[in-house]
Amino acid sequence: MLKRFNSILTPIIAVLLGIIVGTIIMVVSGYDALAAFTALWNGAFGDSYYFGEVIRQVTPYILAGLAVAFAFRVGLFNIGVEGQFLVGWLAAVWVGVAFDLPKIIHLPLAILASMAAGALWAFIPGLLKARFRVHEVIVTIMMNYVALHVSNYIIKNIITDNKDKTDMIKETATLRSDWLQSITDYSRLHWGIVIAIIGCIVMWFLLERTTRGFELRAVGFNQHAAHYAGMNVNKNIILSMVIAGAFAGLAGAMEGLGTFGYATVKGGFTGVGFDGIAVALLGANTSLGVFFSALLFGALKVGALNMPLEAGVPNELVDIIIALIVFFVASSYIIRVFLDRFSKKEVK
């Protein structure tokens, strides 16, 4: 019980330490820290529009975090979420633009296409890891760049006629909701948040309540012991990467079918996939942890946009705070040692 409490307390302390050090940096740099955090709060929760934007930003963060967390629970480090995210975005928009179907068929088809594209993109490093023991970090990093340039080529030369942007998706493929937008002062909030929450439940149920999930976690704990127990380690490695890729592709669909409604040629990475790594780390690679971690990161990202306007503080300082939070999460061993020693003193 005490160990479980400490595992919950560790990321909370990491967040507090990140905020404290970030505050010190603001003060040393000559900025008003209180005004900065007030502007941050107002920019995230000051009115219904900002709140809607926070939830909209949280949606892909949840799914990107799940993509990292799921693979990590099986002992794999999925750095390729950004690439899987991009191909999922492209596949969803492609289906949304190319077909003219009833909504009950068109929207699920576009979502499934994004999941299939992300899963296929993650299958390649999973196969190389399982069959040839090629490290997944190296392969997934390279696959990110391949995804970026291939998706740009497809947009410019196949979906469109030498244009940098696709047509808007059909109304039958959109996740947007007039009702959700009206209650949040016409923010870009869409139904994707429901899909993200369902994704959290699916990951929890699969890993914690199924035989397949037990095998996946066993492989993550010790591949040799899992193999000795008769489990197919290679199959589980590939399966975990495919499922993780499906989550990442689904995150891309949230942007393509919900936030924007189109795909564009990109000059660089969106950053959502890489932020998903931080979300998963802070959330301790659990469904519930990823959900709350994504809420924090979404609020910080959206609220930061208000800091230069209201307090004259560069929003890059929020990126510094996020980096510090990740640093302290990565240094969680030190925090756990301190908590364990404090707990022992309390017992005595």
Side-chain angles (χ1 to χ4, degrees), residues 41 173 342:
W41 177 267
F342 182 79

Side-chain angles (χ1 to χ4, degrees), residues 137-155:
V137 170
I138 304 299
V139 179
T140 51
I141 288 175
M142 292 190 294
M143 292 288 287
N144 286 335
Y145 289 94
V146 176
L148 174 63
H149 296 295
V150 167
S151 61
N152 283 348
Y153 177 85
I154 291 175
I155 291 170

Side-chain angles (χ1 to χ4, degrees), residues 203-245:
M203 175 175 157
W204 169 80
F205 183 80
L206 180 60
L207 287 177
E208 305 295 338
R209 292 291 183 270
T210 66
T211 304
R212 177 61 65 187
F214 175 79
E215 286 192 19
L216 290 168
R217 287 186 289 118
V219 170
F221 284 128
N222 192 317
Q223 291 187 9
H224 298 294
H227 178 72
Y228 184 76
M231 299 175 189
N232 190 329
V233 173
N234 290 344
K235 179 181 177 181
N236 283 305
I237 287 174
I238 296 172
L239 180 62
S240 68
M241 285 299 294
V242 167
I243 295 174

Side-chain angles (χ1 to χ4, degrees), residues 263-285:
T264 60
V265 171
K266 296 173 181 61
F269 295 123
T270 64
V272 173
F274 299 116
D275 287 339
I277 298 171
V279 168
L281 286 173
L282 182 60
N285 300 304

